[in-house]
Amino acid sequence: MTNILIFIIVILVIATLVQIVRVGELLSEIKNKDVNEVSDKDNNTQGLLFLIVGFGFLIFVVWQMITWNHLLLPPASSVHGTQIDLLMKVSMGLIIVVFFITSPMLFYFAFKYRGKKSNNAYFLSHNNKLEVVWTVIPTIILTVLIIFGLKTWDNAMNVEVTESTKLIEVYAKQYNWTARYSGIDNKLGKANYKLVKGKNTLGVDMLDVNSADDKMAREVHLVVNEPVLLKFRSQDVIHSAFLPHFRVQMNCVPGISTQFGFTPNKTTAQMKESEGEDFEYVLLCNKICGASHFNMQMKFIVETQEEYDIWIASQDNLEKKLLTQK
Amino acid sequence: MSEHHKENFITKYVFSMDHKMIAKQFLLTGMFMAVVGMLMSAIFRVQLANPGESSILYNLLPSTWLNDAGGLNPDKYLALVTMHGTILVFWVLTAGLSGTFANFLIPLQIGARDMASGFLNMLSYWFFFIATVVLMSSLFVESGPASGGWTIYPPLSALPQAIPGSGTGMTLWLISITLFVVGSLLGGLNYIVTILNLRTIGMTMKRLPLTVWALLITAILGVLSFPVLLSCGLLLVFDRSFGTSFYLSDIIINGEVLHNEGGSPILFEHLFWFLGHPEVYIILLPALGIVSEVIAVNSRKPIFGYKAMVGALLLIAFLSFIVWGHHMFMTGMNPFLGSVFTFTTLLIAIPSAVKVFNYLATLWRGNIRFTPAMLFAIGTVSAFITGGLTGIILGDSALDINVHDTYFVVGHFHIVMGLSAIYGMFAGVYHWFPKMYGRMMNKHLGYIHFWGTFICAYGVFFPMHFLGLAGLPRRYYSNSAFPMFDGLSDINALITFFALAGAIVQAIFLFNFFYSIFKGTKASQNPWKSNTLEWTTPIERIHGNWPGELPVVKRWAYDYSKPGAEEDFIIQTEPLKDGEIEH
Ligand code: HEM
Ligand SMILES: [Cu+2]
Ligand SMILES: [Cu+2]
């Protein structure tokens, strides 16, 4: 019933529109004008609209930057992240400046040079000097940006892995994450998907000597200011481990091992102080992986060495977990 | 040619070999798909604003897509996003845009009677048509259409156990895209051959309108990159159906251990993006070509820096083949390789900047006539500026770490590729409608359509940057699973409001279009006082374009407001006067 009503209303609206448009066209025919010929008056209105709506858009942009600024991610909680933030500030600053120069120019030109039947445009087909200038300037700016960007990238990706870098494996599957700590030897035991069975959800090879002291958990604890190397694996489809607060992201690809090293430099407790009691570091999935992609999370906790020691001691190692309590 | 064979209804409207009719077929199919794709976005925007709740819009969906409470199922949200992306990228802005304007404009603007091969041209449309039917039918299969994103990354797209859409739906998607690629290859080869061989006397490459230049370069991009998509898809078909392991390795899905070993999903990504990146320029360049023409005609000025514009197109096209890795910075690729892709990607900003400056210089001291086409052309330039600039953030691998696959990306590509190209397409339709249908579109409705679209589109896509900078990933069914995104619900509601309003505004365009086909005021032969050859053909559509001899070209396409001329335009067939220098 409602469908029929909606249908009738739509038909009526269309019929009305047809009539309105027809009346408009007939009227101007009577006045001996071509309705669709653009008049000086149209040029004035449309030019003015570019000025008003165009600048309205620019004001809308500024309004968003002011009102929503507090919703953006807080400053990075990692060493390399701080440099990324700096690069972001510089790049953003730059594109905002260019945006606020070129967009007003476009809208203003539209208004300023709105046509008049009696006017004539200025014939100008090219100007080599000008064209060289506006090719060279962006080239210089981009060169600087590229160099700065590549340095930052290099700094973020080519982390030095030393003895003291803590190894943690992050294992992805539809739709959850599991962490594996490398234990006292700081070595992860081998793993193979064919060994996944029962409680051994990560397929850890228990015959490997490095496996016995590994520990499995459903949250990741990190020690503040201590470098960590996250190693990623996936069991089924591509996932992406995304830790926005640390400026860390890496795809988890079945059959391939990927990694990301970084040094967290703010504890969860510190973040709670600045960002509110509810703050938690979280790991999100950032690559479409199936129906519950939107809800694939794991908590990250950054804490002091003492707190970490207490927590890790409370966790069973794999030898105990998998082999003894059958 | 019209002498040679008589046309009946079937050969005139259905299996037509006339490029102008084929162009209209592409346009109408593209418009139909645009409506479908837009409705899909309206539906999933409603879901994002009111997660899990029911809505009257969901009545448009098969009931199996909904849960008992009338809410949308999460995997069907992904199905909608996937189909929306596929439709808009391939159906609307590749076939709908290139198919329409390459077919329509190439012969008319270079002074040819038709495409090099009218028959291949007809086949190209019918492949596209069948592809459309197959794609639409996938909406009605029981397990739903493809749902792994328009980028169809395996293993997700290879395994029906991973998501229901990867069953029959994905098979149909692959069949459909294969037909689509065949169609666009036939079309593309035809466009290239036609432009290179069938230019009329005097139409040197240096006198070619920028629309034709853009369409030529687009066709070359397509011919070089689409076959790679085809092979990429073919390997996926093998993996899906014949047990090979090109892309699959070490997988346990739903407790089942798969035998596949040694394949790499990353290989798929390389192949896919080798097409995928040029594809975004296949979408954008025709729009920029149209805009160059429309801006010059309506500023009553020559396009500023014609040679630089062609050079910029060529450079962009060339670079577009060596930047695909910027979609893959986070796949664990060698950081050095990432550096190379950052370098090549940021280089594209240079020719892009040149284009923007040249557009601005063309407007400068013009005598601008605001036809609806001109409004949309200026809209394209605005979107190209706004969206192009955020590309500088995304192209920088270090910054991409934190914005990759977030709503920042969604905002960026919708503005730079979606809006620029859609505006360009609208500009083209308003501008060449009189040539297509012999009637004018209503000016006032055009104005309302532009301003409504302009406001709503920025209202939808600009705020998305902030969502992304707050860390919100894309392709999320709901943003309520993470407390860190609770503050974003107002922005989401605002975006949805503008999305629905923007969708309604498009009804004005549809109305204007169909009304004007039948009832619009009659067009004069050269309503915009243009220089290009299409306006020298008779208003009445004839097979063969010019009744008598083909026109002979004596000058470039941009002699607007040339000092010493009687009028502010000089058609390309007008000989140079004594002592007159070209440009
Ligand atoms: C009608 C207005 C439109 C609205 C409201 C809209 C909205 C959206 C939104 C919100 C998404 C992201 C969903 C997600 O990642 O969870 C999306 C995805 C997408 N849209 Fe649009 N869009 C519109 C028009 C367009 C246009 C004109 C294009 C043409 C380029 C386009 C191409 C895409 C693509 C390629 C995707 C990605 C699909 C995927 O993730 O697989 N959209 N759209
Ligand atoms: Cu996921
Ligand atoms: Cu790209």
Side-chain angles (χ1 to χ4, degrees):
Chain A
M1 192 56 211
T2 38
N3 285 349
I4 297 174
L5 262 177
I6 291 174
F7 184 71
I8 293 175
I9 290 172
V10 169
I11 298 285
L12 284 177
V13 169
I14 292 179
T16 323
L17 272 175
V18 171
Q19 291 316 317
I20 293 174
V21 174
R22 286 231 40 93
V23 168
E25 288 176 352
L26 286 177
L27 274 182
S28 60
E29 238 166 69
I30 294 169
K31 286 193 237 148
N32 217 348
K33 270 194 332 199
D34 180 357
V35 248
N36 292 312
E37 164 104 22
V38 178
S39 64
D40 285 355
K41 194 165 139 260
D42 292 326
N43 284 337
N44 281 334
T45 351
Q46 298 306 312
L48 199 62
L49 276 172
F50 264 112
L51 204 61
I52 296 169
V53 181
F55 281 82
F57 164 54
L58 299 180
I59 292 169
F60 177 52
V61 169
V62 175
W63 176 83
Q64 294 176 62
M65 295 203 275
I66 295 168
T67 340
W68 295 338
N69 188 45
H70 70 281
L71 296 171
L72 306 189
L73 288 169
S77 303
S78 64
V79 176
H80 78 281
T82 313
Q83 213 189 38
I84 291 184
D85 283 6
L86 179 65
L87 175 64
M88 186 62 140
K89 276 212 185 83
V90 173
S91 310
M92 270 291 179
L94 194 94
I95 66 173
I96 288 173
V97 168
V98 176
F99 176 76
F100 279 105
I101 293 173
T102 43
S103 296
M105 257 167 91
L106 178 68
F107 300 136
Y108 179 71
F109 282 3
F111 166 72
K112 168 86 190 187
Y113 302 110
R114 64 192 187 281
K116 232 166 129 184
K117 292 252 152 45
S118 54
N119 279 3
N120 249 326
Y122 169 60
F123 185 87
L124 172 72
S125 66
H126 63 284
N127 178 329
N128 293 349
K129 221 188 255 165
L130 208 56
E131 291 178 60
V132 169
V133 169
W134 68 43
T135 313
V136 170
I137 292 178
T139 310
I140 295 172
I141 296 176
L142 281 165
T143 312
V144 175
L145 218 53
I146 290 174
I147 293 172
F148 188 10
L150 292 186
K151 278 222 163 102
T152 313
W153 170 246
D154 190 55
N155 172 279
M157 302 310 284
N158 291 325
V159 281
E160 217 184 318
V161 180
T162 62
E163 288 285 289
S164 64
T165 307
K166 202 165 250 110
L167 271 185
I168 301 176
E169 179 180 71
V170 172
Y171 188 77
K173 67 169 205 238
Q174 284 184 334
Y175 298 102
N176 57 49
W177 304 94
T178 316
R180 178 160 62 115
Y181 295 76
S182 49
I184 320 157
D185 61 1
N186 201 23
K187 284 192 181 120
L188 287 162
K190 290 204 189 88
N192 186 325
Y193 76 111
K194 288 184 178 147
L195 299 174
V196 172
K197 203 175 174 192
K199 277 194 205 149
N200 190 357
T201 51
L202 304 188
V204 180
D205 181 357
M206 293 313 288
L207 298 176
D208 184 348
V209 282
N210 297 324
S211 301
D213 66 338
D214 290 0
K215 297 185 172 190
M216 243 164 81
R218 274 298 168 79
E219 53 187 37
V220 171
H221 289 243
L222 302 175
V223 180
V224 67
N225 295 329
E226 289 289 325
V228 54
L229 182 69
L230 299 181
K231 293 242 171 209
F232 303 102
R233 276 196 300 140
S234 164
Q235 176 178 324
D236 38 39
V237 300
I238 305 178
H239 303 267
S240 188
F242 184 32
L243 291 156
H245 300 103
F246 301 112
R247 316 296 187 249
V248 167
Q249 175 162 205
M250 185 51 64
N251 290 358
C252 313
V253 187
I256 293 173
S257 166
T258 53
Q259 59 180 44
F260 201 114
F262 67 105
T263 308
N265 63 4
K266 288 185 195 126
T267 62
T268 302
Q270 280 171 324
M271 290 302 282
K272 283 186 190 287
E273 257 166 48
S274 59
E275 301 299 315
E277 256 321 291
D278 299 333
F279 180 88
E280 292 293 351
Y281 289 120
V282 313
L283 168 66
L284 310 95
C285 180
N286 198 15
K287 187 62 75 188
I288 182 172
C289 61
S292 293
H293 166 54
F294 72 101
N295 188 11
M296 184 168 155
Q297 41 184 311
M298 181 162 67
K299 198 153 97 175
F300 266 56
I301 294 151
V302 181
E303 56 202 2
T304 59
Q305 185 75 50
E306 297 81 58
E307 289 165 325
Y308 176 81
D309 291 342
I310 296 172
W311 178 80
I312 195 82
S314 72
Q315 301 292 312
D316 287 341
N317 63 28
L318 286 187
E319 183 169 37
K320 191 153 170 222
K321 209 167 187 160
L322 302 182
L323 300 181
T324 51
Q325 329 168 316
K326 260 270 144 92
Chain B
M1 278 192 192
S2 49
E3 309 83 71
H4 298 315
H5 55 85
K6 272 217 215 70
E7 292 184 320
N8 59 30
F9 181 83
I10 299 277
T11 56
K12 183 165 177 195
Y13 293 105
V14 186
F15 294 108
S16 171
M17 294 201 228
D18 180 4
H19 70 102
K20 301 186 288 306
M21 185 53 69
I22 295 174
K24 289 182 207 172
Q25 292 172 330
F26 271 108
L27 179 60
L28 288 174
T29 318
M31 277 169 60
F32 171 75
M33 291 304 267
V35 171
V36 174
M38 193 178 65
L39 281 175
M40 288 176 167
S41 70
I43 292 172
F44 61 67
R45 272 316 317 179
V46 166
Q47 154 63 23
L48 287 175
N50 310 305
E53 289 172 28
S54 70
S55 152
I56 56 163
L57 274 181
Y58 296 172
N59 287 336
L60 294 167
L61 302 174
S63 58
T64 48
W65 293 26
L66 307 177
N67 59 29
D68 295 339
L72 186 64
N73 285 332
D75 70 304
K76 291 304 178 292
Y77 170 88
L78 295 178
L80 284 171
V81 171
T82 303
M83 295 307 274
H84 161 82
T86 307
I87 289 175
L88 265 309
V89 167
F90 293 114
W91 265 257
V92 180
L93 293 179
T94 303
L97 180 58
S98 275
T100 304
F101 291 102
N103 273 309
F104 195 73
L105 293 180
I106 290 173
L108 285 174
Q109 287 199 334
I110 66 171
R113 299 229 180 257
D114 205 317
M115 284 290 174
S117 164
F119 180 69
L120 286 190
N121 212 21
M122 177 185 82
L123 275 190
S124 135
Y125 174 75
W126 286 102
F127 270 105
F128 171 59
F129 182 82
I130 301 168
T132 310
V133 173
V134 175
L135 191 79
M136 293 308 287
S137 69
S138 79
L139 291 171
F140 302 100
V141 301
E142 193 169 342
S143 49
S147 315
W150 80 278
T151 48
I152 56 156
Y153 284 2
L156 184 62
S157 63
L159 307 172
Q161 304 95 313
I163 192 164
S166 293
T168 320
M170 190 65 214
T171 307
L172 292 173
W173 194 97
L174 286 165
I175 294 173
S176 167
I177 281 289
T178 306
L179 294 167
F180 180 92
V181 171
V182 173
S184 44
L185 285 177
L186 291 175
L189 287 168
N190 220 345
Y191 307 153
I192 297 171
V193 172
T194 308
I195 294 172
L196 295 183
N197 292 327
L198 294 189
R199 278 169 291 130
T200 183
I201 300 165
M203 182 59 91
T204 58
M205 293 305 270
K206 282 187 189 154
R207 285 176 178 164
L208 222 47
L210 284 172
T211 24
V212 180
W213 264 113
L215 291 165
L216 172 66
I217 295 169
T218 304
I220 295 174
L221 283 181
V223 167
L224 293 179
S225 62
F226 269 118
V228 181
L229 178 67
L230 208 57
S231 35
C232 166
L234 199 63
L235 298 188
L236 183 56
V237 170
F238 284 148
D239 274 6
R240 288 166 52 81
S241 309
F242 306 119
T244 54
S245 309
F246 292 106
Y247 305 135
L248 307 177
S249 186
D250 298 26
I251 293 168
I252 304 176
I253 189 89
N254 274 352
E256 182 190 343
V257 183
L258 304 187
H259 71 275
N260 308 75
E261 267 179 80
S264 164
I266 305 301
L267 169 66
F268 175 92
E269 293 187 28
H270 280 295
L271 291 174
F272 181 87
W273 286 112
F274 188 82
L275 155 93
H277 194 83
E279 169 64 21
V280 310
Y281 289 99
I282 291 174
I283 287 175
L284 186 63
L285 296 186
L288 293 183
I290 289 171
V291 164
S292 304
E293 175 70 18
V294 171
I295 285 189
V297 174
N298 291 298
S299 303
R300 314 306 294 159
K301 274 187 69 187
I303 191 81
F304 183 86
Y306 174 85
K307 276 192 199 141
M309 289 302 246
V310 174
L313 285 177
L314 287 169
L315 197 58
I316 290 177
F318 169 72
L319 287 173
S320 77
F321 276 105
I322 49 172
V323 299
W324 80 90
H326 64 214
H327 299 273
M328 301 169 59
F329 287 139
M330 297 302 117
T331 53
M333 64 159 61
N334 184 321
F336 175 72
L337 198 56
S339 303
V340 174
F341 282 123
T342 297
F343 177 71
T344 51
T345 301
L346 294 187
L347 283 186
I348 294 199
I350 299 168
S352 307
V354 168
K355 288 200 83 80
V356 168
F357 294 139
N358 284 2
Y359 286 133
L360 289 174
T362 307
L363 292 174
W364 181 72
R365 293 187 65 182
N367 189 23
I368 302 174
R369 178 181 58 196
F370 288 111
T371 61
M374 184 60 172
L375 298 183
F376 276 102
I378 294 176
T380 299
V381 178
S382 169
F384 191 53
I385 293 174
T386 313
L389 284 171
T390 49
I392 292 180
I393 306 282
L394 290 162
D396 199 330
S397 49
L399 298 177
D400 191 50
I401 295 174
N402 231 51
V403 286
H404 174 72
D405 258 357
T406 65
Y407 264 86
F408 192 88
V409 178
V410 181
H412 158 75
F413 76 70
H414 274 97
I415 293 178
V416 74
M417 156 174 93
L419 294 187
S420 298
I422 284 273
Y423 289 174
M425 189 164 165
F426 280 133
V429 172
Y430 280 108
H431 191 78
W432 281 288
F433 190 88
K435 191 79 254 162
M436 288 184 180
Y437 293 101
R439 292 174 186 267
M440 307 293 286
M441 285 181 79
N442 185 283
K443 172 184 77 181
H444 295 286
L445 291 179
Y447 290 159
I448 300 172
H449 173 222
F450 173 74
W451 291 109
T453 307
F454 185 81
I455 292 169
C456 292
Y458 273 139
V460 170
F461 297 118
F462 207 90
M464 288 187 183
H465 296 109
F466 293 86
L467 298 178
L469 293 174
L472 184 67
R474 66 193 277 208
R475 296 164 168 173
Y476 267 25
Y477 163 72
S478 147
N479 308 322
S480 51
F482 291 84
M484 70 180 278
F485 300 134
D486 285 350
L488 304 179
S489 55
D490 287 351
I491 305 186
N492 268 315
L494 185 76
I495 292 176
T496 300
F497 166 77
F498 278 119
L500 295 179
I504 292 169
V505 170
Q506 302 317 307
I508 299 173
F509 170 76
L510 289 178
F511 170 79
N512 195 358
F513 185 88
F514 290 108
Y515 170 85
S516 305
I517 288 181
F518 300 107
K519 293 265 163 92
T521 51
K522 288 251 166 33
S524 55
Q525 189 181 12
N526 188 358
W528 316 123
K529 300 195 167 78
S530 280
N531 293 344
T532 35
L533 297 181
E534 72 272 28
W535 304 105
T536 62
T537 60
I539 300 172
E540 191 64 19
R541 180 190 85 95
I542 56 167
H543 209 149
N545 296 339
W546 285 270
E549 294 286 293
L550 284 177
V552 175
V553 170
K554 308 279 192 196
R555 58 176 72 231
W556 76 333
Y558 297 106
D559 276 337
Y560 291 104
S561 305
K562 194 165 190 181
E566 275 142 47
E567 286 195 86
D568 66 353
F569 70 111
I570 313 173
I571 293 192
Q572 282 191 276
T573 49
E574 195 76 24
L576 291 175
K577 281 196 264 186
D578 282 342
E580 186 186 351
I581 36 169
E582 212 175 344
H583 353 192

